[in-house]
C-alpha cells in the first residue's frame, strides 16, 4: 500500500547517491556553477590567447625601435674605418646600446652579411646565420626566429650613410624567454582575478539556489511535475469552482466549473477581475471587497456561495458552490410547509363548516343550510374566476389562487387591480412565476399582523413589455434602504432551515436586468411598499398554446427583506 502523501513530498530516509541530484535547488546550483566556471575559463583563455601574440608583437616592435635608433650615419661611418674588430668603434657602440636597452644582442653587418658587432666577440667577422637580404634591400623586418643565441624576437633595419646609401644593416634581438616570462608572470594575476569572479559567481549562484529551495519547498523536478499533474486533475475534476487571483486582482487561474458557474471562458485568464465580471456583488466578493464566510451572490440565474482565502504572495483563491438547485428545493420546502399549514387551517375550517351544516340540518333549517353551502362555495369560485379572468396564463393564475388562499389564512386580503390584464403570450412563464412569487411572499410577510392587512397585485402590458406592481399595507421600506434590499444576502429575518435568506429580491432584479428591465421599490398607496418590475420582451407576438401539464408545485419565492 502506498503511503499517504500530506503536504509537500519529502522522503523520510535518503540514501546517499552519487550522480545528478534530484532536488531543484541542487540541480540549479550545479548548473550555475558549471556555467560560471565555463565562462571564467573561456574568458581567461580568450584573454591569454591574444596576450601571447600581443607580447610577441611588442617585443618585435621594441627590437625594431632599438635597431632604428642604433642605425645612424655615425655608426655607418665606422664600417669604413678598417676590418671588423672586437675593439672597434662599431662593437663598442653596439655593446653600449645593448647594455642600455637590455637587448639580447645588437649585431651590425655590412652588405656582405659580415658581423661587425656581436655579444660574443668570436662571432665578429663571420657571416650572420640568418638571411639579411630584406634589410640590406632597404626594408624593415620583424620576426621571431632562431640564431646562434637561440630563439629571439628580432628587428632588422637598413644602415645608411650620410648620403643615404645602404652600407649594411642593424639586427637587434630580444630574448624570447623574457617574453615568455612576462606571459607566465601575467597568468597568476589573471587567474586570481578569474578566481575572484568565479567565487562571486558561485556565491550568487548559491544564494539564488537557496531562495529557489525555499520557494520550491526543496522539491525534486519529478515531484513538481507530479504536483502539477495532480493539481490539474483536481482542479478540473472537482465540482466546485476555483478562481485564483494575483496581487493585482487579475485572474490567474479558473477551472472548468468556475467557468461554467460564472459564464466565462478560458480567455478570462490574465485579465482584471472587474473587467471580466463587470461591477457587482460577485466581483466584490471574489476581490475581497466584501468579507465573510459563505457569502451569497447571484450570477445570471445561479445562486452561488463564495469563500475567499488570501495567499502568501498577495493574491487569493476563491471557491464557488452552486446552490441554485438547493435554493429551489428550499423554496419548494417553504411553499410545501405553507400549503400544509393552509390545509391544516382549512381542515379546521372545513370541520367547523360541516358542524354548522350538520346543526342546521338537525334543526331542520334546510333553506339556511342551502344558503350557507352556496355562500361558502361561491367565495372560492369567485376568487378563482376573478384571477383567471384577468390572468390568462395558467401557471400564474394557479400561483395567485394558491397565494390568495394562503393570504386568507394569514388574515391578509390579496386582490388583483381592476385594470389588470395579462394575456397568455408569455415567453417564459416560469420567470414571471419566480418574480411574482417572491414579491407576493414578501408583501404577505410585511402586511401580516397589520390592521386591515392587504396586498395588491397589478399586471399591465405595453406592447411586448409586462409591468408588474405589488403593494402591501406593511411598514414600508425606508428610502435609504431601497437599494440595499436588492443586495444578495441582505435580510432582516432569521435564516430558514434549508439555508440563507436575502436572495428573492436579488433574483427579481437580476431577472429583470437580464431582460433589459428594472426592479424598483417606492412608497405604496396603502402606506407600505410598492415594488415595480418592468420586463421588456416578456410577451411573444403570436398567441401561445396553453400547456397541458401545469405542475402541481410551483416555484416558490425566497424573501429578501
Amino acid at each position: 500500500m502506498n503511503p499517504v502523501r500530506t503536504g509537500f513530498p519529502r522522503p523520510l530516509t535518503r540514501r546517499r547517491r552519487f550522480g545528478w541530484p534530484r532536488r531543484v535547488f541542487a540541480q540549479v546550483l550545479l548548473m550555475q556553477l558549471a556555467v560560471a566556471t565555463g565562462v571564467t575559463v573561456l574568458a581567461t583563455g580568450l584573454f591569454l590567447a591574444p596576450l601571447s601574440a600581443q607580447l610577441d608583437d611588442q617585443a618585435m616592435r621594441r627590437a625594431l625601435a632599438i635597431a632604428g635608433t642604433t642605425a645612424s650615419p655615425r655608426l655607418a661611418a665606422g664600417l669604413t674605418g678598417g676590418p671588423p674588430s672586437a675593439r672597434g668603434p662599431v662593437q663598442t657602440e653596439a655593446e653600449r646600446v645593448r647594455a642600455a636597452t637590455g637587448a639580447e644582442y645588437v649585431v651590425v653587418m655590412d652588405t656582405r652579411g659580415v658581423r661587425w658587432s656581436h655579444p660574443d666577440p668570436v662571432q665578429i667577422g663571420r657571416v650572420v646565420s640568418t638571411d639579411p637580404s630584406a634589410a640590406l634591400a632597404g626594408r624593415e623586418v620583424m620576426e621571431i626566429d632562431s640564431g646562434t643565441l637561440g630563439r629571439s624576437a628580432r628587428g632588422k633595419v637598413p644602415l645608411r650613410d650620410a648620403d643615404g646609401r645602404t652600407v649594411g644593416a642593424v639586427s637587434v634581438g630580444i630574448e624570447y624567454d623574457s617574453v615568455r616570462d612576462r606571459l607566465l608572470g601575467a597568468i597568476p594575476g589573471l587567474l586570481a582575478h578569474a578566481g575572484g569572479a568565479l567565487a562571486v559567481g558561485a556565491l550568487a549562484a548559491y544564494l539564488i539556489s537557496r531562495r529557489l529551495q525555499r520557494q520550491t519547498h526543496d522539491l525534486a523536478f519529478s515531484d513538481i511535475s507530479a504536483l502539477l499533474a495532480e493539481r490539474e486533475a483536481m482542479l478540473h475534476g472537482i465540482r466546485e469552482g476555483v478562481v485564483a487571483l494575483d496581487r493585482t486582482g487579475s485572474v490567474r487561474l479558473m477551472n472548468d466549473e468556475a467557468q461554467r458557474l460564472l459564464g466565462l471562458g478560458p480567455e478570462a485568464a490574465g485579465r482584471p477581475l472587474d473587467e471580466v465580471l463587470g461591477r457587482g456583488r460577485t466581483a466584490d466578493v471574489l476581490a475581497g471587497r466584501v468579507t465573510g464566510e459563505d457569502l451569497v451572490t447571484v450570477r445570471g440565474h445561479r445562486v452561488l456561495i463564495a469563500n475567499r482565502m488570501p495567499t502568501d504572495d498577495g493574491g487569493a483563491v476563491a471557491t464557488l458552490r452552486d446552490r441554485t438547485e438547493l435554493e429551489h428545493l428550499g423554496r419548494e420546502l417553504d411553499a410545501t410547509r405553507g400549503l400544509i399549514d393552509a390545509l391544516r387551517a382549512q381542515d379546521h375550517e372545513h370541520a367547523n363548516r360541516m358542524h354548522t351544516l350538520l346543526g342546521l340540518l338537525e334543526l331542520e333549517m334546510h333553506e339556511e343550510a342551502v344558503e350557507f353551502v352556496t355562500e361558502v362555495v361561491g367565495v372560492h369560485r369567485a376568487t378563482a374566476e376573478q384571477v383567471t379572468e384577468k390572468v390568462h396564463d395558467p401557471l400564474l393564475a394557479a400561483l395567485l389562487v394558491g397565494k390568495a388562499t394562503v393570504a386568507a389564512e394569514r388574515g391578509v386580503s390579496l386582490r388583483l387591480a381592476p385594470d389588470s390584464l395579462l394575456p397568455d403570450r408569455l415567453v417564459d412563464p416560469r420567470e414571471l412565476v419566480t418574480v411574482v412569487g417572491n414579491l407576493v411572499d414578501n408583501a404577505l410577510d410585511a402586511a401580516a399582523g397589520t390592521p386591515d392587512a392587504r396586498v395588491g397585485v397589478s399586471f399591465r402590458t405595453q406592447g411586448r413589455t409586462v409591468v408588474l406592481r405589488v403593494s402591501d399595507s406593511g411598514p414600508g421600506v425606508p428610502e435609504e434602504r431601497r437599494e440595499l434590499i436588492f443586495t444578495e444576502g441582505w435580510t432582516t429575518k432569521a435564516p430558514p432551515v434549508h439555508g440563507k435568506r436575502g436572495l428573492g429580491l436579488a433574483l427579481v432584479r437580476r431577472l429583470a436586468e437580464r431582460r433589459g428591465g428594472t426592479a424598483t421599490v417606492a412608497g405604496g398607496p396603502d402606506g407600505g411598499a410598492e415594488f415595480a418590475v418592468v420586463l421588456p420582451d416578456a410577451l411573444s407576438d403570436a398567441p401561445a398554446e396553453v400547456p397541458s401539464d401545469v405542475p402541481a408545485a410551483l416555484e416558490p419565492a425566497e424573501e429578501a427583506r
Side-chain angles (χ1 to χ4, degrees), residues 11 22 99 110 112 123 129-130 158 168 176 244 269 310 332 360 363 463 478-479:
R22 296 180 62 249
D110 58 18
R112 296 171 299 169
Q123 300 295 331
S129 59
T130 56
Y176 194 75
E332 290 182 4
L360 291 174
L363 296 175
E479 187 173 355

Side-chain angles (χ1 to χ4, degrees), residues 240-479:
E240 285 193 2
V242 178
V243 180
L245 307 173
D246 60 18
R247 66 177 59 193
T248 64
S250 298
V251 178
R252 179 186 297 168
L253 173 70
M254 185 177 295
N255 69 344
D256 298 340
E257 183 67 6
Q259 294 177 19
R260 185 183 72 85
L261 295 178
L262 298 176
L264 302 174
E267 66 278 0
R271 297 169 56 190
L273 183 64
D274 292 334
E275 177 185 332
V276 172
L277 296 179
R279 300 186 62 182
R281 178 175 171 83
T282 303
D284 292 340
V285 169
L286 297 184
R289 293 187 287 267
V290 178
T291 58
E293 296 181 355
D294 293 338
L295 297 174
V296 180
T297 182
V298 177
R299 178 70 178 176
H301 64 282
R302 299 185 184 279
V303 179
L304 306 177
I305 300 297
N307 285 281
R308 187 177 187 273
M309 178 64 67
T311 56
D312 294 337
D313 61 353
V317 175
T319 59
L320 300 170
R321 287 175 289 161
D322 190 359
R323 287 181 57 96
T324 306
E325 297 299 329
L326 183 59
E327 290 299 325
H328 288 171
L329 293 175
R331 291 199 297 272
E332 290 182 4
L333 177 61
D334 287 345
T336 302
R337 289 177 175 173
L339 291 175
I340 291 174
D341 292 339
L343 290 175
R344 186 181 295 112
Q346 287 183 358
D347 178 62
H348 290 289
E349 183 180 0
H350 180 70
N352 293 332
R353 289 171 179 171
M354 292 301 295
H355 292 158
T356 302
L357 180 60
L358 179 60
L360 291 174
L361 293 176
E362 288 181 350
L363 296 175
E364 297 183 356
M365 301 174 64
H366 301 103
E367 294 182 2
E368 289 79 356
V370 173
E371 292 177 359
F372 178 74
V373 172
T374 303
E375 179 182 358
V376 171
V377 175
V379 169
H380 292 281
R381 182 178 299 170
T383 301
E385 290 178 354
Q386 179 187 16
V387 171
T388 54
E389 180 183 353
K390 301 179 182 300
V391 179
H392 298 168
D393 183 83
L395 288 176
L396 275 175
L399 174 68
L400 291 174
V401 170
K403 294 296 183 184
T405 302
V406 174
E409 297 300 331
R410 300 182 63 178
V412 180
S413 174
L414 176 62
R415 292 289 182 266
L416 275 173
D419 57 350
S420 294
L421 181 61
L422 183 65
D424 187 15
R425 293 190 292 112
L426 290 176
V427 175
D428 189 353
R430 291 183 175 274
E431 184 177 273
L432 196 55
V433 164
T434 299
V435 173
V436 174
N438 277 286
L439 294 181
V440 170
D441 280 351
N442 285 345
L444 292 177
D445 290 340
T450 61
D452 193 17
R454 55 193 177 278
V455 172
V457 180
S458 170
F459 291 101
R460 294 184 182 179
T461 59
Q462 299 174 358
R464 297 180 58 189
T465 300
V466 174
V467 180
L468 166 67
R469 296 181 183 273
V470 177
S471 61
D472 60 69
S473 60
V477 179
E479 187 173 355

Side-chain angles (χ1 to χ4, degrees), residues 74-75 77-96 108 115-118 121 124:
R74 184 169 62 86
L75 184 64
L79 296 180
T80 61
S85 172
R87 296 182 179 274
V90 175
Q91 171 70 1
T92 302
E93 178 66 16
E95 285 300 300
R96 185 188 68 79
V108 180
R115 299 187 183 95
W116 284 66
S117 66
H118 197 279
I124 297 176

Side-chain angles (χ1 to χ4, degrees), residues 216-233:
T216 59
H217 300 277
D218 198 17
L219 294 176
F221 277 113
S222 58
D223 296 329
I224 294 178
S225 177
L227 286 175
L228 288 176
E230 292 172 2
R231 189 198 71 163
E232 289 299 315

Side-chain angles (χ1 to χ4, degrees), residues 10 14 23-30 32-33 201-219:
R10 185 187 297 272
R14 298 181 181 177
R23 302 298 174 192
V24 175
F25 90 97
Q27 293 188 23
V28 172
L29 177 60
L30 288 180
Q32 288 180 325
L33 290 177
L203 178 60
Y206 175 75
L207 295 177
I208 294 174
S209 299
R210 290 293 297 176
R211 177 178 175 83
L212 184 61
Q213 181 184 20
R214 291 192 299 269
Q215 291 181 340
T216 59
H217 300 277
D218 198 17
L219 294 176

